[in-house]
Amino acid sequence: MRSTLLHLLRHAPQDDTHFATSLRVIGPEQGLLLIEDAVYALLPRTSAVNAMQLLPASIRLFALESDVLARGLAIDDLPQRVSLIDYPDMVELCTRYDKVLSW
Amino acid sequence: MEPDLKSLLVISRQPPTAIAAREALDLALAAAAFGVPVSLLFMDAGVLQLLPGQESTLIEQKPVASNLQALPMFGVEDLFVCQHSLAERGLQPGRFIINCKAVDSAEIATLLEHHDQVVAL
Amino acid sequence: MTQTIHADGRDIAVDKEGFLVSLDDWSEAVAHELARREGIELTPAHMEVILLLRRFYQTFQLSPAMRALVKFVGQELGKDKGNSMYLLTLFPGSPAKLGSKIAGLPKPENCL
Protein backbone atom coordinates (compact mmCIF):
# COMPACT_ATOMS: atom_id res chain seq x y z
CA MET A 1 0.00 0.00 0.00
CA ARG A 2 1.40 3.40 -0.98
CA SER A 3 0.80 6.16 1.49
CA THR A 4 1.76 9.81 1.70
CA LEU A 5 4.49 10.98 4.03
CA LEU A 6 5.50 14.33 5.44
CA HIS A 7 9.13 14.71 6.50
CA LEU A 8 9.33 17.05 9.48
CA LEU A 9 12.79 18.53 10.05
CA ARG A 10 13.80 20.40 13.21
CA HIS A 11 17.59 20.65 13.15
CA ALA A 12 19.84 22.89 11.10
CA PRO A 13 21.36 21.11 8.08
CA GLN A 14 24.73 22.58 9.00
CA ASP A 15 24.71 20.74 12.37
CA ASP A 16 22.75 17.59 11.78
CA THR A 17 22.86 14.83 9.19
CA HIS A 18 19.12 14.24 9.18
CA PHE A 19 18.47 17.01 6.68
CA ALA A 20 20.73 15.39 4.08
CA THR A 21 19.34 11.97 4.93
CA SER A 22 15.72 12.93 4.47
CA LEU A 23 16.51 14.60 1.13
CA ARG A 24 18.23 11.42 0.04
CA VAL A 25 15.29 9.15 0.81
CA ILE A 26 12.33 11.42 0.12
CA GLY A 27 9.96 10.00 -2.48
CA PRO A 28 7.86 11.75 -5.13
CA GLU A 29 4.54 13.10 -3.81
CA GLN A 30 5.98 13.38 -0.31
CA GLY A 31 6.29 16.64 1.60
CA LEU A 32 9.03 18.39 3.56
CA LEU A 33 8.29 20.76 6.43
CA LEU A 34 11.02 22.87 8.06
CA ILE A 35 10.50 24.03 11.63
CA GLU A 36 12.74 25.36 14.40
CA ASP A 37 16.44 25.41 13.39
CA ALA A 38 15.74 23.43 10.23
CA VAL A 39 14.65 26.72 8.62
CA TYR A 40 18.38 27.53 8.40
CA ALA A 41 18.22 25.25 5.36
CA LEU A 42 16.70 28.31 3.65
CA LEU A 43 19.80 30.51 4.07
CA PRO A 44 20.53 31.88 0.59
CA ARG A 45 23.38 30.43 -1.45
CA THR A 46 23.90 27.43 0.84
CA SER A 47 24.21 23.88 -0.41
CA ALA A 48 21.10 23.04 1.64
CA VAL A 49 18.85 25.47 -0.17
CA ASN A 50 20.32 24.47 -3.51
CA ALA A 51 19.66 20.81 -2.76
CA MET A 52 16.02 21.60 -1.98
CA GLN A 53 15.65 23.49 -5.25
CA LEU A 54 16.78 20.36 -7.09
CA LEU A 55 14.09 18.13 -5.60
CA PRO A 56 11.41 16.92 -8.04
CA ALA A 57 8.61 19.44 -8.45
CA SER A 58 6.11 16.89 -7.12
CA ILE A 59 7.63 17.23 -3.66
CA ARG A 60 5.97 20.06 -1.71
CA LEU A 61 8.12 22.22 0.57
CA PHE A 62 6.85 24.08 3.63
CA ALA A 63 8.42 26.21 6.36
CA LEU A 64 6.95 27.54 9.58
CA GLU A 65 6.83 31.31 9.05
CA SER A 66 7.32 32.28 12.69
CA ASP A 67 10.51 30.18 12.88
CA VAL A 68 11.79 31.79 9.66
CA LEU A 69 11.09 35.33 10.89
CA ALA A 70 12.38 34.61 14.38
CA ARG A 71 15.75 33.78 12.87
CA GLY A 72 15.92 36.87 10.74
CA LEU A 73 15.73 35.13 7.38
CA ALA A 74 14.47 37.45 4.65
CA ILE A 75 11.21 36.24 3.17
CA ASP A 76 12.15 37.79 -0.18
CA ASP A 77 15.18 35.53 -0.46
CA LEU A 78 13.24 32.30 -0.04
CA PRO A 79 12.77 29.99 -3.01
CA GLN A 80 9.34 30.46 -4.56
CA ARG A 81 8.40 26.85 -4.17
CA VAL A 82 8.59 27.01 -0.36
CA SER A 83 5.17 27.70 1.18
CA LEU A 84 5.22 29.61 4.44
CA ILE A 85 2.68 28.33 6.93
CA ASP A 86 1.45 29.13 10.45
CA TYR A 87 0.70 26.76 13.35
CA PRO A 88 -2.91 25.94 12.36
CA ASP A 89 -1.64 25.19 8.83
CA MET A 90 0.97 22.90 10.32
CA VAL A 91 -1.66 20.92 12.21
CA GLU A 92 -3.77 20.67 9.08
CA LEU A 93 -0.74 19.60 7.07
CA CYS A 94 0.14 16.84 9.50
CA THR A 95 -3.35 15.38 9.23
CA ARG A 96 -3.44 15.69 5.44
CA TYR A 97 -0.49 13.29 5.08
CA ASP A 98 -1.00 9.65 6.06
CA LYS A 99 2.02 9.79 8.33
CA VAL A 100 4.64 12.19 9.59
CA LEU A 101 8.29 11.27 9.97
CA SER A 102 9.87 13.57 12.51
CA TRP A 103 13.64 13.56 12.09
CA MET B 1 -5.37 -1.16 16.45
CA GLU B 2 -5.35 -3.28 13.32
CA PRO B 3 -3.37 -6.45 13.89
CA ASP B 4 -1.39 -6.09 10.68
CA LEU B 5 -0.36 -2.50 11.32
CA LYS B 6 3.34 -2.51 10.62
CA SER B 7 5.78 -0.02 12.04
CA LEU B 8 9.24 1.00 10.93
CA LEU B 9 11.61 2.34 13.51
CA VAL B 10 14.50 4.39 12.17
CA ILE B 11 17.53 4.32 14.45
CA SER B 12 19.75 7.21 13.48
CA ARG B 13 21.74 8.09 16.57
CA GLN B 14 24.86 6.56 17.92
CA PRO B 15 25.37 4.92 21.27
CA PRO B 16 26.69 4.88 23.82
CA THR B 17 26.48 8.62 24.13
CA ALA B 18 23.03 9.19 22.66
CA ILE B 19 20.17 8.39 24.98
CA ALA B 20 17.95 8.22 21.90
CA ALA B 21 19.72 5.04 20.84
CA ARG B 22 18.65 3.27 24.01
CA GLU B 23 15.12 4.68 23.77
CA ALA B 24 14.74 3.41 20.22
CA LEU B 25 15.76 -0.05 21.30
CA ASP B 26 13.40 -0.01 24.29
CA LEU B 27 10.59 1.04 21.98
CA ALA B 28 11.34 -1.81 19.59
CA LEU B 29 11.41 -4.40 22.36
CA ALA B 30 8.25 -3.07 23.99
CA ALA B 31 6.38 -3.04 20.67
CA ALA B 32 7.52 -6.56 19.93
CA ALA B 33 6.46 -7.77 23.37
CA PHE B 34 2.95 -6.54 22.61
CA GLY B 35 2.93 -8.25 19.23
CA VAL B 36 3.18 -5.05 17.16
CA PRO B 37 5.26 -5.93 14.09
CA VAL B 38 8.33 -3.72 13.95
CA SER B 39 11.05 -3.33 11.35
CA LEU B 40 14.28 -1.55 12.17
CA LEU B 41 16.35 0.66 9.92
CA PHE B 42 19.80 1.73 11.05
CA MET B 43 21.00 4.89 9.34
CA ASP B 44 23.21 7.91 9.84
CA ALA B 45 25.17 7.58 13.09
CA GLY B 46 22.80 4.77 14.09
CA VAL B 47 24.83 2.33 11.96
CA LEU B 48 27.67 2.67 14.46
CA GLN B 49 25.58 0.71 16.96
CA LEU B 50 26.25 -2.36 14.84
CA LEU B 51 30.03 -2.37 15.29
CA PRO B 52 31.29 -5.30 17.35
CA GLY B 53 33.58 -5.00 20.36
CA GLN B 54 32.24 -1.80 21.91
CA GLU B 55 33.33 -1.73 25.54
CA SER B 56 31.03 1.05 26.61
CA THR B 57 31.26 0.12 30.28
CA LEU B 58 34.71 1.79 30.21
CA ILE B 59 32.88 5.10 29.94
CA GLU B 60 30.17 3.99 32.34
CA GLN B 61 27.46 3.33 29.78
CA LYS B 62 25.38 0.19 29.56
CA PRO B 63 26.23 -1.62 26.32
CA VAL B 64 23.44 -1.99 23.78
CA ALA B 65 25.04 -4.89 21.91
CA SER B 66 23.47 -7.67 24.01
CA ASN B 67 20.07 -6.00 23.75
CA LEU B 68 20.42 -5.68 19.97
CA GLN B 69 21.25 -9.36 19.69
CA ALA B 70 18.01 -10.13 21.52
CA LEU B 71 15.88 -8.53 18.80
CA PRO B 72 15.32 -11.71 16.75
CA MET B 73 14.37 -13.51 19.97
CA PHE B 74 11.69 -10.88 20.54
CA GLY B 75 10.39 -11.40 17.01
CA VAL B 76 12.04 -8.33 15.48
CA GLU B 77 13.57 -9.87 12.39
CA ASP B 78 13.25 -7.28 9.63
CA LEU B 79 16.50 -5.42 10.17
CA PHE B 80 17.86 -3.00 7.57
CA VAL B 81 20.95 -0.84 7.38
CA CYS B 82 21.53 2.15 5.12
CA GLN B 83 24.29 1.47 2.58
CA HIS B 84 25.05 5.15 2.13
CA SER B 85 25.53 5.72 5.86
CA LEU B 86 27.89 2.74 5.97
CA ALA B 87 29.93 3.99 3.02
CA GLU B 88 30.21 7.47 4.56
CA ARG B 89 31.86 5.83 7.56
CA GLY B 90 34.02 3.41 5.60
CA LEU B 91 32.06 0.40 6.86
CA GLN B 92 30.89 -2.71 5.08
CA PRO B 93 27.97 -4.95 6.00
CA GLY B 94 28.90 -8.43 7.16
CA ARG B 95 30.92 -7.93 10.31
CA PHE B 96 28.13 -6.56 12.46
CA ILE B 97 26.78 -7.85 15.75
CA ILE B 98 23.46 -8.71 14.11
CA ASN B 99 22.50 -9.54 10.52
CA CYS B 100 21.00 -6.59 8.68
CA LYS B 101 20.03 -6.28 5.05
CA ALA B 102 21.87 -3.38 3.39
CA VAL B 103 19.48 -1.08 1.51
CA ASP B 104 20.11 1.87 -0.83
CA SER B 105 18.27 5.19 -0.82
CA ALA B 106 15.57 4.06 -3.25
CA GLU B 107 14.86 0.99 -1.15
CA ILE B 108 14.67 3.15 1.98
CA ALA B 109 12.13 5.41 0.24
CA THR B 110 10.06 2.28 -0.41
CA LEU B 111 10.37 1.15 3.20
CA LEU B 112 9.18 4.55 4.43
CA GLU B 113 6.25 4.42 2.06
CA HIS B 114 5.09 0.90 2.81
CA HIS B 115 5.07 0.91 6.58
CA ASP B 116 1.94 2.18 8.30
CA GLN B 117 3.85 4.07 10.93
CA VAL B 118 7.35 5.47 10.80
CA VAL B 119 9.24 6.68 13.84
CA ALA B 120 12.74 8.14 13.86
CA LEU B 121 14.72 8.32 17.09
CA MET C 1 10.45 -1.18 50.62
CA THR C 2 12.41 -4.36 51.06
CA GLN C 3 11.73 -7.54 52.96
CA THR C 4 14.01 -10.42 53.71
CA ILE C 5 13.65 -14.10 53.02
CA HIS C 6 15.69 -16.82 54.63
CA ALA C 7 17.44 -19.39 52.45
CA ASP C 8 20.85 -21.02 52.19
CA GLY C 9 21.44 -20.05 55.83
CA ARG C 10 21.37 -16.35 54.90
CA ASP C 11 18.98 -13.43 55.05
CA ILE C 12 18.30 -12.17 51.53
CA ALA C 13 16.62 -8.92 50.52
CA VAL C 14 13.66 -8.96 48.14
CA ASP C 15 11.51 -6.05 46.94
CA LYS C 16 7.84 -5.69 47.76
CA GLU C 17 6.89 -7.90 44.82
CA GLY C 18 9.30 -10.60 45.88
CA PHE C 19 12.05 -10.00 43.28
CA LEU C 20 15.64 -10.33 44.51
CA VAL C 21 17.20 -6.96 45.19
CA SER C 22 20.66 -8.21 44.24
CA LEU C 23 21.08 -10.66 41.37
CA ASP C 24 24.20 -12.07 43.00
CA ASP C 25 22.19 -13.44 45.93
CA TRP C 26 20.74 -16.20 43.76
CA SER C 27 21.44 -19.90 44.32
CA GLU C 28 19.37 -23.01 43.68
CA ALA C 29 18.41 -23.06 47.35
CA VAL C 30 17.25 -19.45 47.07
CA ALA C 31 15.24 -20.43 43.98
CA HIS C 32 13.47 -23.12 45.98
CA GLU C 33 12.55 -20.61 48.67
CA LEU C 34 11.37 -18.00 46.11
CA ALA C 35 9.27 -20.68 44.43
CA ARG C 36 7.82 -21.88 47.74
CA ARG C 37 6.65 -18.33 48.43
CA GLU C 38 4.78 -18.49 45.13
CA GLY C 39 3.25 -21.86 45.97
CA ILE C 40 5.43 -23.81 43.55
CA GLU C 41 7.51 -26.85 44.38
CA LEU C 42 10.47 -26.86 42.01
CA THR C 43 11.07 -30.02 39.97
CA PRO C 44 13.95 -30.70 37.56
CA ALA C 45 11.59 -29.53 34.79
CA HIS C 46 11.21 -26.18 36.53
CA MET C 47 14.93 -25.90 37.16
CA GLU C 48 15.71 -26.55 33.50
CA VAL C 49 13.67 -23.48 32.53
CA ILE C 50 15.00 -21.43 35.46
CA LEU C 51 18.59 -22.03 34.38
CA LEU C 52 17.62 -21.14 30.81
CA LEU C 53 16.10 -17.87 32.02
CA ARG C 54 19.36 -17.04 33.73
CA ARG C 55 21.24 -17.81 30.52
CA PHE C 56 18.83 -15.58 28.57
CA TYR C 57 19.59 -12.74 30.95
CA GLN C 58 23.35 -13.26 30.77
CA THR C 59 23.25 -13.31 26.96
CA PHE C 60 20.86 -10.45 26.25
CA GLN C 61 20.99 -8.37 29.47
CA LEU C 62 17.20 -8.47 29.48
CA SER C 63 14.51 -10.37 31.31
CA PRO C 64 12.45 -12.05 28.61
CA ALA C 65 8.87 -11.13 27.80
CA MET C 66 6.60 -14.13 27.21
CA ARG C 67 7.04 -14.24 23.46
CA ALA C 68 10.81 -14.17 23.70
CA LEU C 69 10.82 -16.79 26.44
CA VAL C 70 8.71 -19.19 24.36
CA LYS C 71 11.03 -18.74 21.41
CA PHE C 72 14.21 -19.16 23.44
CA VAL C 73 12.94 -22.27 25.23
CA GLY C 74 11.85 -23.72 21.88
CA GLN C 75 15.27 -23.08 20.44
CA GLU C 76 17.17 -24.52 23.40
CA LEU C 77 14.92 -27.31 24.68
CA GLY C 78 12.87 -28.20 21.61
CA LYS C 79 9.37 -27.58 20.36
CA ASP C 80 7.74 -29.79 23.01
CA LYS C 81 8.71 -27.29 25.68
CA GLY C 82 8.83 -24.12 23.63
CA ASN C 83 5.14 -23.33 23.88
CA SER C 84 3.09 -21.27 26.26
CA MET C 85 1.01 -24.28 27.43
CA TYR C 86 4.07 -26.09 28.79
CA LEU C 87 5.42 -22.96 30.46
CA LEU C 88 2.04 -22.11 31.96
CA THR C 89 1.86 -25.58 33.45
CA LEU C 90 5.19 -25.02 35.20
CA PHE C 91 4.60 -21.37 36.13
CA PRO C 92 0.87 -20.70 36.27
CA GLY C 93 -0.41 -17.24 35.42
CA SER C 94 2.54 -15.36 34.04
CA PRO C 95 5.48 -17.65 33.20
CA ALA C 96 7.86 -14.86 32.14
CA LYS C 97 7.30 -12.85 35.30
CA LEU C 98 7.10 -15.74 37.72
CA GLY C 99 10.01 -17.60 36.13
CA SER C 100 12.15 -14.45 36.16
CA LYS C 101 11.37 -13.93 39.83
CA ILE C 102 12.41 -17.46 40.79
CA ALA C 103 15.48 -17.20 38.55
CA GLY C 104 16.52 -14.10 40.49
CA LEU C 105 16.22 -11.75 37.49
CA PRO C 106 14.85 -8.21 37.51
CA LYS C 107 11.14 -7.96 36.73
CA PRO C 108 10.64 -8.01 32.93
CA GLU C 109 10.19 -4.41 31.78
CA ASN C 110 7.98 -5.25 28.85
CA CYS C 111 5.58 -7.45 30.74
CA LEU C 112 2.43 -5.90 32.16
Side-chain angles (χ1 to χ4, degrees), chain C residues 11-38:
Chain C
D11 283 327
I12 292 160
V14 295
D15 70 11
K16 62 180 191 304
E17 288 185 72
F19 285 86
L20 284 193
V21 172
S22 168
L23 271 58
D24 300 331
D25 281 337
W26 191 86
S27 67
E28 293 207 9
V30 170
H32 277 94
E33 174 58 16
L34 289 168
R36 194 192 58 75
R37 286 162 53 92
E38 302 292 334

Side-chain angles (χ1 to χ4, degrees), chain A residues 73-84:
Chain A
L73 301 183
I75 302 278
D76 291 346
D77 292 338
L78 303 187
Q80 282 209 323
R81 60 181 293 188
V82 175
S83 313
L84 291 177

